[in-house]
Amino acid sequence: MPYAMPFLKRSIRWCCLYQSTYLSYLNRHQHSLPADSNSRFHPLREPVSIPRWRVQDLGSISRVQVNQPAVIRHAEQIQSRRTVKKDWQAAWLLRAVTCIDLTTLSGDDTPSNIHRLCYKAKHPIREDLLRAMNMHDKGITTAAVCVYPARVADAVKALKAAGCNIPVASVATGFPAAQTPLKTKLEEIRIAVEDGAREIDIVINRTLVLTGQWEGLYEEIHQFRQACGDAHMKTILGTGELGSLTNVYKASMVAMMAGADFIKTSTGKEAVNATLPVGIVMVRAVRDFYWKTGNKIYHHVTGRYAAYHDLPMA
C-alpha cells in the first residue's frame, strides 16, 4: 500500500485540478457511507413543498456582520494543524474522488469529449492503484459529470452506454456571469432537466447581493428551485465577486432559505474562487441554518484551491 501513495496522490491531484470537491460540514457526524457509491450524501429527494420564509426573516439577514479578522485568524490556525498520513490519507483522498464533479465547460466540447469524460468518471483511479489498496471492487467513481445544458443528452447517453448510474449535472441560469433575463434562466433549467440532468448548478445574480436586495435574491433562487423539480439544486455564489465575507454569509443563508441543496463557492471562472476564509464562513452559515431549521445543506468548493485539499472538513 505505501508504494501506491505517491501515484495515488498524483492521480487524484490531476483528477481534482479545476474540478469541484464536495466537503460536507456534517461528515464527521455521519456514521456510515451511502451504500450506493454513485449517490451523494443523500439520495435524490422526493418532491417536497418548499417553505416560504417571512419578510422579517429575510430582513434579519441584512443586520448580520462577519468578524473578518477573527475568520482570518481561524483560517491561519487551521492551516497550522497536522494532516492525516498514510492509510488515513489514502482513505480521505479516495473519499474526495467520490465527491468530485468531473467537469468540462469549454466552448469546444463535442460528443466525443463528453464520452471520454464519462469514461474517466467511471474509472477515475488506475486499476493497479486500487488493487494495491484492495479497493478495486468498491465501485470508486466520481460523484457526477458536469457539462453545459447543450451537452446533457450526450453525457446521459454515454453514461447509460457505460452501464453506470453516475448523475449528470448541468450548469444553468446564464453560467458563469448570470447576466441573462430571468425567463431565459428558468427555461435553461427546464431544458437541462428534460434532457436528463439530475443536478443543476445555478448561478446567483451578484448584483442583487452587492445592492443588498435580499428579498429579490430569495425570490429568484426560489423560482430556480421550483424549476429544478426533483433535481438537486447547487447554488453558485461567485464569492470572489461578492465584495466581503459578510455578503458571503448573507448570500449563503438566503440561498439555503430559498431551497438550495448545496451552496457552492464559485464558477471556477472568476479571478478569485475558493479561499479558506470563504470556506469557513460558508460552513458556519450551513451550521447556523441547520441549527435553525434541522435541514442539512452541503458545502461545495471549486477551483485550484480545492484541488490541494486545503479546505476544512468543518
Side-chain angles (χ1 to χ4, degrees):
M1 165 102 163
Y3 74 86
M5 280 295 297
F7 299 99
L8 176 63
K9 287 182 182 179
R10 284 198 294 271
S11 180
I12 292 176
R13 180 164 294 182
W14 177 89
C15 214
C16 289
L17 195 57
Y18 296 114
Q19 307 303 328
S20 305
T21 303
Y22 286 86
L23 301 175
S24 166
Y25 95 108
L26 290 174
N27 265 349
R28 65 177 62 181
H29 301 298
Q30 292 189 187
H31 302 295
S32 61
L33 298 180
D36 178 7
S37 63
N38 293 325
S39 68
R40 295 281 190 185
F41 296 102
H42 53 87
L44 287 174
R45 66 184 185 183
E46 296 297 324
V48 295
S49 59
I50 305 166
R52 297 288 298 185
W53 289 76
R54 296 172 300 176
V55 173
Q56 52 266 43
D57 293 321
L58 292 168
S60 66
I61 296 294
S62 63
R63 297 190 292 273
V64 172
Q65 291 294 324
V66 171
N67 186 339
Q68 182 168 333
V71 173
I72 300 300
R73 287 195 300 271
H74 189 191
E76 292 171 350
Q77 291 170 0
I78 289 175
Q79 290 175 311
S80 66
R81 294 175 186 171
R82 295 180 61 189
T83 59
V84 293
K85 301 295 183 182
K86 300 182 180 180
D87 289 1
W88 288 104
Q89 185 180 41
W92 275 113
L93 289 172
L94 285 175
R95 181 57 171 153
V97 169
T98 67
C99 299
I100 291 172
D101 278 7
L102 201 57
T103 303
T104 179
L105 296 170
S106 301
D108 58 355
D109 285 340
T110 64
S112 60
N113 291 350
I114 302 302
H115 187 273
R116 287 194 295 271
L117 187 78
C118 292
Y119 179 86
K120 186 65 179 177
K122 186 178 180 181
H123 306 283
I125 305 297
R126 281 174 17 205
E127 182 71 14
D128 60 318
L129 300 182
L130 292 175
R131 288 188 177 277
M133 294 178 287
N134 197 29
M135 295 293 290
H136 59 284
D137 58 348
K138 304 302 182 184
I140 301 293
T141 70
T142 63
V145 168
C146 184
V147 295
Y148 276 119
R151 301 268 71 90
V152 167
D154 295 331
V156 170
K157 181 180 178 181
L159 290 169
K160 184 177 180 179
C164 61
N165 193 38
I166 300 173
V168 174
S170 173
V171 296
T173 68
F175 178 94
Q179 295 294 329
T180 54
L182 178 59
K183 181 179 179 180
T184 303
K185 295 177 181 179
L186 294 171
E187 186 62 23
E188 195 172 29
I189 293 173
R190 296 187 186 104
I191 290 173
V193 172
E194 288 173 1
D195 284 348
R198 292 159 59 189
E199 300 182 359
I200 302 295
D201 285 28
I202 64 120
V203 190
I204 70 168
N205 184 341
R206 273 80 96 193
T207 300
L208 297 176
V209 175
L210 295 172
T211 56
Q213 299 180 61
W214 304 113
E215 292 177 30
L217 179 64
Y218 172 87
E219 291 296 337
E220 183 167 283
I221 298 175
H222 187 78
Q223 291 186 58
F224 294 159
R225 172 66 268 175
Q226 292 176 320
C228 287
D230 295 344
H232 280 135
M233 185 177 76
K234 306 201 293 290
T235 302
I236 303 173
L237 304 182
T239 55
E241 298 176 346
L242 296 188
S244 70
L245 293 179
T246 295
N247 279 345
V248 170
Y249 182 91
K250 292 177 179 179
S252 298
M253 291 298 291
V254 171
M256 292 183 286
M257 292 166 72
D261 296 296
F262 294 78
I263 53 172
K264 178 175 177 179
T265 57
S266 49
T267 65
K269 297 183 181 294
E270 292 93 26
V272 178
N273 295 292
T275 66
L276 189 50
V278 161
I280 291 171
V281 170
M282 292 179 68
V283 167
R284 290 291 179 84
V286 168
R287 183 194 64 181
D288 292 347
F289 187 77
Y290 176 69
W291 284 351
K292 183 178 179 66
T293 67
N295 294 329
K296 299 178 181 180
I297 309 298
Y298 298 96
H299 179 221
H300 184 172
V301 296
T302 305
R304 182 185 294 270
Y305 195 88
Y308 292 86
H309 317 293
D310 288 330
L311 290 179
M313 293 311 296

